[in-house]
Amino acid sequence: MKQNRRKFIKFAGVAAAALCTAPAVAKAAGGGHAAPIMKNPKGLEAERWAMVIDTTKLKTEKDFAPLIEVCHKIHNVPQIDSNQEVKWLWTGSYDETFVEQPNPHMNEELKERSYALLCNHCENPPCVRVCPTKATFKRPDGIVAMDYHRCIGCRYCMAGCPYGSRSFNFSEPRDHFTEEELKKLNPKFPTRMRGVVEKCNFCVERLAVGERPACVEASKGAMFFGDLNDPESEVRQVLRERFTLRRKPSAGTEPSVYYII
Ligand code: SF4
């Protein structure tokens, strides 16, 4: 009997200690996870990630095709040729991209360029404000991320985004891959499910292991990526030296994507 009591007291002590330390572990992990998350020491970090796209170098559909291909391939984005298409990176005309900067007399070449479109990872993201389940959230490094398992498919984020940067899975994404393509899916990135919203994630999974976004790598120097809050970073240097535009300034969202014009 005494033995049982001693065992119980010992168990209660361990349980109480675990309860006391659990919040600290969760806090250190940066969120509501009970278990600690091991960080890769090679991971890239920033106070606020930003991207600069040089539209003087990337200006045709052909220029963007390999970038779109690599992005969609590593993120298992299906090719759906209808108005139910899912896209993380795509292109638009000058008028679609810079709707608030129309100029009928502008340089023809500038007007004829294609412009890369993606999530802007806004400083003030309306998509985060309207999400009822916190499935979309802003990370401390400025990346607007998604937890697909929390998404209930209400699409408020799609209505809230002033840039049309989000896609909805009207059908089961895996159904749009052939048997051969299914075998070649990237096993390191989850496929999504029907009824879930998705978008560009600034390649958080690559940053976590020390790699820059796939489109930036594929652009061969025509895209820059770095810490907007670091005056010595490459993006800050480029922003000091070149004239850039951001999309829909009147929306007040403060996009993290800049276009060299
Ligand atoms: Fe959200 Fe749209 Fe801004 Fe991306 S571009 S952070 S989806 S509001």
Side-chain angles (χ1 to χ4, degrees):
M1 187 71 174
K2 265 186 184 168
Q3 181 75 0
N4 281 348
R5 190 162 185 270
R6 252 202 310 276
K7 267 189 192 162
F8 172 76
I9 290 169
K10 195 174 166 195
F11 169 78
V14 170
L19 278 174
C20 291
T21 53
V25 171
K27 200 173 170 198
H33 300 279
I37 294 171
M38 298 304 288
K39 248 186 168 176
N40 185 325
K42 287 189 193 153
L44 303 179
E45 292 182 350
E47 276 184 27
R48 185 180 169 193
W49 287 115
M51 179 182 280
V52 183
I53 303 167
D54 189 345
T55 74
T56 67
K57 290 184 179 156
L58 292 169
K59 44 183 162 184
T60 65
E61 296 288 326
K62 214 172 143 198
D63 295 337
F64 286 111
L67 279 56
I68 296 170
E69 191 186 334
V70 73
C71 165
H72 285 190
K73 195 164 190 312
I74 65 160
H75 296 113
N76 300 325
V77 178
Q79 166 105 26
I80 304 172
D81 297 320
S82 74
N83 59 2
Q84 297 186 352
E85 108 186 277
V86 175
K87 51 198 195 320
W88 284 35
L89 177 62
W90 69 107
T91 58
S93 65
Y94 179 91
D95 288 338
E96 283 167 316
T97 310
F98 303 111
V99 284
E100 291 177 358
Q101 290 102 335
N103 177 355
H105 309 297
M106 71 190 285
N107 177 300
E108 275 303 311
E109 187 272 322
L110 234 164
K111 188 135 190 150
E112 279 163 15
R113 281 182 204 166
S114 289
Y115 296 86
L117 302 174
L118 66 159
C119 170
N120 288 285
H121 297 276
C122 307
E123 175 73 355
N124 306 312
C127 57
V128 170
R129 278 204 301 279
V130 298
C131 177
T133 62
K134 308 270 181 274
T136 193
F137 58 96
K138 194 170 150 215
R139 300 182 358 148
D141 60 6
I143 292 179
V144 175
M146 276 203 69
D147 179 343
Y148 304 118
H149 296 286
R150 299 186 84 164
C151 179
I152 55 170
C154 68
R155 292 189 268 167
Y156 285 3
C157 59
M158 294 179 75
C161 173
Y163 307 97
S165 296
R166 292 172 166 264
S167 300
F168 183 66
N169 284 289
F170 286 93
S171 52
E172 190 58 49
R174 291 179 78 95
D175 291 350
H176 296 279
F177 294 104
T178 63
E179 283 297 317
E180 274 313 297
E181 287 169 338
L182 281 173
K183 285 184 206 153
K184 290 184 194 153
L185 289 182
N186 177 8
K188 293 187 189 150
F189 201 79
T191 48
R192 277 69 69 195
M193 52 292 237
R194 181 169 171 251
V196 162
V197 172
E198 60 182 271
K199 64 168 194 74
C200 154
N201 67 350
F202 260 6
C203 283
V204 282
E205 77 287 358
R206 288 173 60 88
L207 297 174
V209 295
E211 293 171 348
R212 296 187 308 159
C215 58
V216 176
E217 289 292 347
S219 75
K220 298 187 185 129
M223 289 167 89
F224 305 90
F225 193 75
D227 190 348
L228 196 63
N229 286 2
D230 175 4
E232 303 303 320
S233 70
E234 193 178 29
V235 285
R236 283 289 293 275
Q237 193 185 333
V238 173
L239 291 175
R240 267 195 300 273
E241 292 170 2
R242 307 286 299 274
F243 175 71
T244 53
L245 287 178
R246 286 187 291 174
R247 301 184 66 201
K248 284 197 187 166
S250 77
T253 60
E254 299 288 337
S256 300
V257 177
Y258 294 76
Y259 297 84
I260 295 173
I261 298 299

